Amino acid sequence: MEKSDTLKFAGREFRSRLIVGTGKYPDHRSMQRAHEASGAEIVTVAVRRVNLDRTQESLLDYIDAKKYTLLPNTAGCYTAEEAIKTAILAREVGLSDMVKLKVINDQRTLFPDNEELLKATKVLVKEGFVVLPYTNDDPVMAKKLEDAGAAAVMPLGAPIGSGLGIRNPYNIKIILEAARVPVIVDAGVGTASDATIAMELGCDGVLMNTGIACAKDPVAMAEAMRHAVIAGRLAYLAGRIPKKLYATASSPLEGMVEL
Amino acid sequence: MEKSDTLKFAGREFRSRLIVGTGKYPDHRSMQRAHEASGAEIVTVAVRRVNLDRTQESLLDYIDAKKYTLLPNTAGCYTAEEAIKTAILAREVGLSDMVKLKVINDQRTLFPDNEELLKATKVLVKEGFVVLPYTNDDPVMAKKLEDAGAAAVMPLGAPIGSGLGIRNPYNIKIILEAARVPVIVDAGVGTASDATIAMELGCDGVLMNTGIACAKDPVAMAEAMRHAVIAGRLAYLAGRIPKKLYATASSPLEGMVEL
Amino acid sequence: MEKSDTLKFAGREFRSRLIVGTGKYPDHRSMQRAHEASGAEIVTVAVRRVNLDRTQESLLDYIDAKKYTLLPNTAGCYTAEEAIKTAILAREVGLSDMVKLKVINDQRTLFPDNEELLKATKVLVKEGFVVLPYTNDDPVMAKKLEDAGAAAVMPLGAPIGSGLGIRNPYNIKIILEAARVPVIVDAGVGTASDATIAMELGCDGVLMNTGIACAKDPVAMAEAMRHAVIAGRLAYLAGRIPKKLYATASSPLEGMVEL
Amino acid sequence: MEKSDTLKFAGREFRSRLIVGTGKYPDHRSMQRAHEASGAEIVTVAVRRVNLDRTQESLLDYIDAKKYTLLPNTAGCYTAEEAIKTAILAREVGLSDMVKLKVINDQRTLFPDNEELLKATKVLVKEGFVVLPYTNDDPVMAKKLEDAGAAAVMPLGAPIGSGLGIRNPYNIKIILEAARVPVIVDAGVGTASDATIAMELGCDGVLMNTGIACAKDPVAMAEAMRHAVIAGRLAYLAGRIPKKLYATASSPLEGMVEL
Amino acid sequence: MVNGKKLEVTDGATITALLEELNINPLRVAVQLNLEIIKRERYDKTTLRAGDKLEIITFMAGGSE
Amino acid sequence: MVNGKKLEVTDGATITALLEELNINPLRVAVQLNLEIIKRERYDKTTLRAGDKLEIITFMAGGSE
Amino acid sequence: MVNGKKLEVTDGATITALLEELNINPLRVAVQLNLEIIKRERYDKTTLRAGDKLEIITFMAGGSE
Amino acid sequence: MVNGKKLEVTDGATITALLEELNINPLRVAVQLNLEIIKRERYDKTTLRAGDKLEIITFMAGGSE
């Protein structure tokens, strides 16, 4: 794939189209090795109170700031206001001005609250953040987020942690038709083919955590996802054959041996 | 993936689980580069009369016999007898004792004739061939071919050249449950995710031609397929997360910032 | 199905769970016969200027007000304000206080604008309307519309006129889990099985127009849809068998004849 | 649906396109009521030794021979020879010269043994039976069975009792393209929409047992299936709308009210 | 102006008169005069002047999918 | 032996007699004597001997999916 | 109160001092004092009083799917 | 007749000679003479006569999907 095929947004450029998370890993060490295997260049992190009893070692000891771009997320926020404050605190840490904007409405399904999300996006864009909003697969909302200045839109493929893959490729297709910013599928990827399918649809990237972190072998799955995203991207660029009910043989029938 | 994870049958061992074809390419040169990009170690070829007016250059000038194992196929045969004779002629060429056994029944859909296929398999196994029969996805026939001594069974994912992918993963799963020889999906793969899905089901390999040769960019698609097969295999070994209608967040909710 | 199994909302009760439209029919006469065949009791109509050159005969001559409940819709509205005004005008006609609330955002895909839709719902509920909002399949928005006083929620199965069926049954399932008002799938139904599937998911009804009006034989398709909705509802109530990869025979093996 | 639309084979004609079974019901009474509700005119029965301790009442007391055509099946047979002998015994009972020919290969999945099936079909056709063979969805075998004189071909939609529906509609479509005898989907139907889909593909009928008999409410499911088969048949005849990614509104935009 | 079309209406004519003239069944329409809705009972009390913008609305086919 | 079970049958009894004794409706069964099918019209001509293997077949629930 | 926990802090101690005492790397945290964010450069100018509510925030695992 | 085409072959010429003349690499083909396969080692012992039907087979592109 030509070197030039990179993921670009907000003036940044990334060779890898896979964004990975930090949650749910058996331990920091396996997380670190999974990140390595995934080839990802962007890693999302939660914004939390420092743990005062210093038993726990710091997550940041396991993420090489030179290799990885940190993408703080506003997980756990249920209103625009909470998300905005969390984003501002995250930026104060001084390691990133990007934010994976997440405003959850329903604790059960972790579906986003698009109203609040749009509000928060508008505010944070004005505040100079690079905003990557996690939304559902509503093409109308995707457009509104783009118009509000989101650096990319991140529709879910399926509910967070469900592992159901791209439940509605039709909506993703419609979002892609109209989008002028990168479209990154966020949530739902359960196995490699889910990521490949997302990329074959023409998505610019895939963000995942549970699918890797909770696999029996997170490091192997991370490597699988690295290949899966590359495979899907290449297939998209290569231009697949059309689907037919059936076709004809690839062997020219002239030249058949007389037996 | 540990070095030990290889495709084995009839005493042979291959690092790549992708088998590619030689038909339908724009030209020999692009075929050669696609083979390169695919990482395949086995290449199937048709058995035909030498072209007497030597305008055409020989296919074999474009397949390095040191790098690739040749897999002659019996394409174009409609009876066990034709297929057996073609296989014997192929072996006489002296480059391979393997045969991709193909007995077509229906010229329109290129579906195999399982009756004739089974007959030919029995004969050729006695003749000492390494027989790789192309069959449909009937678990009963797969078992009979295995019992007849096939070195692997090669069920179709979808009709030849259809690009429909794995139409019936359930049958492939059932075949895999019972098989004691490698199961290699042959035909139907249209894009990378189709190959990934085949491997995620637990198949031992994938054979394809049209999906690569007829892509807009065969070389790029070949590279996609290389990654797709590795991705699917790794995901299968890694053990995917279970599917749920929805799950819960990966971020521990304790430690939420008080805003 | 016990007589008691009816579609209820806003104090109304309907024996049929199928709601049909009036658009796109070859002519008023075939529409009338299709309505007949569908068994529907609710028919949606557009709100438009009277045609002054009385060449056209009135739609209302073809809908027996004694047999059918009219459901005016706000098709063609792109803002809450337009939709509210249209609904009020519709009520002034004096034939119905129900409204199928539709606020389109994207002329290309006819996807709803949920923000505007929610605004309009709140206003019209206060105005005493029975509001049936057409929305996408976002479970969060469905809940908000219900909380705003919608008499039922009407998520789309697929884009209007697409005939793609229920693209994302998972979202519909999630909506149903939480809904305390009827859930009526609106848009996307292309053929009978689409309607059956919607009802099998547990939906309370299905609204369709294009699928019937643009079928080669609208009257036959209307009858098909009548059976399809009943079939799906009965199957939902009857409790289907679980899915398995395979099962065992229904014939007791004891008693086999000794041959 | 015009009266003339009936299921015809071997000179018989049936108004209902649904064939039901007798196995797995809670009791004979509920079976009888389910048969009633299904509207079926053909009922399949197993051929077994009379139970000498006459505790059990006879199945035939619950199937009105004037209303239903009996279709004895060769369930439990694993070779052509067993099936042939069973069919001959069944005919000796003197109630039917039809046979649902079933030769199982794999006790686990109950997949048919096509080789043995074809053998038995040839013999029984010569013996003057009306042979309805249960086969898999291999288009080649379907053609061979038709050529052998089968009165209809009965491909499985999915494994017996699996409730997975039509796993591979593509194969069924291909079978239908070539078939000159009725194609009746046998096995796999789990719920109403499965039957509707089978009929929408253009199948001539559906045979099911587990889906009805093992439903929580067999009688309600039987009625669901009656509607489902009619719905699918009507939709097939009516000619569905084409599928599109999205379409345009059914409401003419001229005539919009000026608000 | 009626429904966006110029129409000759005798100055001072009532809505009732106009509907009659256009042979429109008043029980099947809603009427909006200069963007304000006119209740049915006021049709024969409401007279039309030059420059009035009248909208006569009814139900037509369409709008549901 | 009837249907695999040992059964006391008076030597020389006909199939008709046996069916009657077992109160089985002859119109709903097929009979196979020592692997050979016996036509219904021959039931009262066919007598049973010790060691005969008789199969009495009928239709029962099952076998279709 | 630091991160919701009661904590003994010498009256008048600076944020810098506190972080040192807690052995927290100031370059990896953000600090909010009584709901107002304190820029890093002001850590050693800002002193803590009894009743102050301090939040020390950092990045931790989680939050992405 | 070679591969279905009429071909001038000097009577008594060997297969080896013919392949050379046609400039075909003998290590890449199989040869069938009058429906009987000729082993490679017999190419120069086997001479051709008028009316012989010769098939020269090799590997070509195609046949896999």
Side-chain angles (χ1 to χ4, degrees), chain D residues 41 46 55 63 105 115 121 127 136 141 147 154 162 168 177 192 194-195 204 209 212 225 252:
Chain D
E41 296 168 297
T55 53
I63 304 174
N105 172 286
E115 274 182 300
T121 299
E127 292 290 331
N136 67 342
M141 185 49 56
D147 295 343
M154 307 209 296
S162 67
N168 193 341
E177 277 187 3
D194 297 336
D204 300 274
N209 180 67
I212 293 174
M225 293 299 181

Side-chain angles (χ1 to χ4, degrees), chain C residues 48-147:
Chain C
R48 295 284 183 271
R49 284 167 163 176
V50 168
N51 193 323
L52 294 185
D53 46 73
R54 315 287 292 117
T55 52
Q56 253 180 322
E57 22 174 26
S58 163
L59 170 73
L60 295 173
D61 298 337
Y62 291 86
I63 304 174
D64 178 349
K66 286 167 216 54
K67 276 182 54 185
Y68 299 101
T69 298
L70 290 178
L71 174 57
N73 63 66
T74 60
C77 298
Y78 283 76
T79 66
E81 195 195 357
E82 285 169 20
I84 291 163
K85 287 180 172 170
T86 302
I88 289 169
L89 278 169
R91 186 165 59 178
E92 281 306 312
V93 175
L95 298 172
S96 175
D97 66 346
M98 287 167 51
V99 61
K100 175 185 167 179
L101 191 59
K102 222 169 130 179
V103 187
I104 298 303
N105 171 286
D106 176 6
Q107 189 151 6
R108 187 179 48 120
T109 61
L110 300 175
F111 267 101
D113 188 316
N114 284 327
E115 274 182 300
E116 294 294 304
L117 182 67
L118 186 56
K119 268 191 246 163
T121 299
K122 288 172 178 168
V123 171
L124 290 171
V125 166
K126 279 202 195 51
E127 293 291 331
F129 282 83
V130 172
V131 181
L132 306 178
Y134 156 74
T135 180
N136 68 339
D137 62 4
D138 177 8
V140 171
M141 184 50 56
K143 204 81 200 105
K144 288 183 177 187
L145 290 165
E146 175 182 316
D147 295 342

Side-chain angles (χ1 to χ4, degrees), chain A residues 38-53:
Chain A
S38 73
E41 296 168 297
I42 306 175
V43 174
T44 83
V45 293
V47 181
R48 295 285 184 268
R49 284 166 163 176
V50 168
N51 193 323
L52 295 184
D53 47 74

Side-chain angles (χ1 to χ4, degrees), chain C residues 209-228:
Chain C
N209 181 67
T210 311
I212 292 174
C214 298
K216 285 208 183 47
D217 179 342
V219 179
M221 187 57 88
E223 188 182 348
M225 292 300 182
R226 176 170 69 80
H227 287 288

Side-chain angles (χ1 to χ4, degrees), chain C residues 167-186:
Chain C
R167 284 330 321 155
N168 192 343
Y170 299 85
N171 278 5
I172 300 293
K173 250 182 150 46
I174 291 172
I175 289 171
L176 285 163
E177 278 187 2
R180 291 183 317 269
V181 295
V183 175
I184 298 170
V185 164
D186 181 358

Side-chain angles (χ1 to χ4, degrees), chain A residues 248-252 256-259, chain H residues 32 53 55 57 61-65:
Chain A
T248 51
S250 65
S251 49
M256 284 301 298
V257 185
E258 193 174 290
L259 301 162
Chain H
Q32 182 179 275
K53 284 186 67 193
E55 293 281 348
I57 275 64
S64 263
E65 291 61 35

Side-chain angles (χ1 to χ4, degrees), chain B:
Chain B
M1 162 163 56
E2 336 75 78
K3 297 290 141 285
S4 66
D5 182 58
T6 55
L7 172 61
K8 300 187 197 62
F9 55 84
R12 278 85 162 164
E13 187 166 3
F14 303 92
R15 285 185 319 287
S16 168
R17 293 174 174 278
L18 176 58
I19 304 176
V20 295
T22 50
K24 297 181 174 174
Y25 280 94
D27 52 61
H28 283 347
R29 173 75 60 217
S30 61
M31 177 197 77
Q32 191 177 38
R33 293 178 41 240
H35 287 175
E36 200 64 53
S38 74
E41 296 168 298
I42 306 176
V43 174
T44 83
V45 293
V47 181
R48 294 285 184 270
R49 286 167 162 175
V50 167
N51 193 324
L52 294 185
D53 46 75
R54 314 285 293 118
T55 52
Q56 251 181 326
E57 21 175 26
S58 164
L59 170 73
L60 295 172
D61 298 337
Y62 292 86
I63 304 174
D64 178 348
K66 285 165 216 54
K67 276 182 53 185
Y68 299 101
T69 298
L70 291 179
L71 175 56
N73 63 65
T74 60
C77 298
Y78 284 76
T79 66
E81 195 195 355
E82 285 169 23
I84 291 163
K85 288 180 171 169
T86 301
I88 290 169
L89 277 169
R91 185 164 61 175
E92 282 306 311
V93 176
L95 298 172
S96 174
D97 66 346
M98 286 167 51
V99 61
K100 175 185 165 179
L101 192 58
K102 223 169 130 178
V103 188
I104 297 304
N105 173 285
D106 176 6
Q107 189 150 7
R108 188 180 48 121
T109 61
L110 300 174
F111 266 101
D113 188 317
N114 283 327
E115 273 182 301
E116 293 294 304
L117 183 67
L118 186 56
K119 267 190 246 163
T121 299
K122 288 172 177 167
V123 170
L124 290 171
V125 166
K126 280 204 193 54
E127 291 291 331
F129 282 82
V130 173
V131 181
L132 307 177
Y134 155 74
T135 180
N136 67 340
D137 63 4
D138 176 7
V140 171
M141 184 50 56
K143 203 82 199 103
K144 288 183 176 186
L145 290 165
E146 175 182 316
D147 295 343
V153 289
M154 307 209 295
L156 53 78
I160 288 172
S162 68
L164 291 172
I166 310 298
R167 284 328 323 153
N168 193 342
Y170 299 84
N171 277 6
I172 301 293
K173 251 182 149 48
I174 291 171
I175 290 172
L176 285 163
E177 276 187 3
R180 292 182 316 270
V181 294
V183 175
I184 298 169
V185 163
D186 181 358
V189 169
T191 184
S193 53
D194 297 336
T196 307
I197 287 165
M199 298 306 295
E200 286 172 341
L201 284 168
C203 292
D204 300 274
V206 179
L207 190 159
M208 69 185 72
N209 181 66
T210 311
I212 292 174
C214 298
K216 285 207 183 45
D217 179 344
V219 179
M221 187 58 87
E223 188 183 347
M225 292 299 181
R226 176 169 69 79
H227 287 288
V229 169
I230 294 171
R233 179 63 181 179
L234 280 166
Y236 170 71
L237 297 172
R240 63 157 292 154
I241 57 172
K243 293 180 178 183
K244 310 175 197 165
L245 185 54
Y246 44 78
T248 51
S250 65
S251 50
L253 288 181
E254 67 280 1
M256 283 301 298
V257 186
E258 193 175 289
L259 300 163

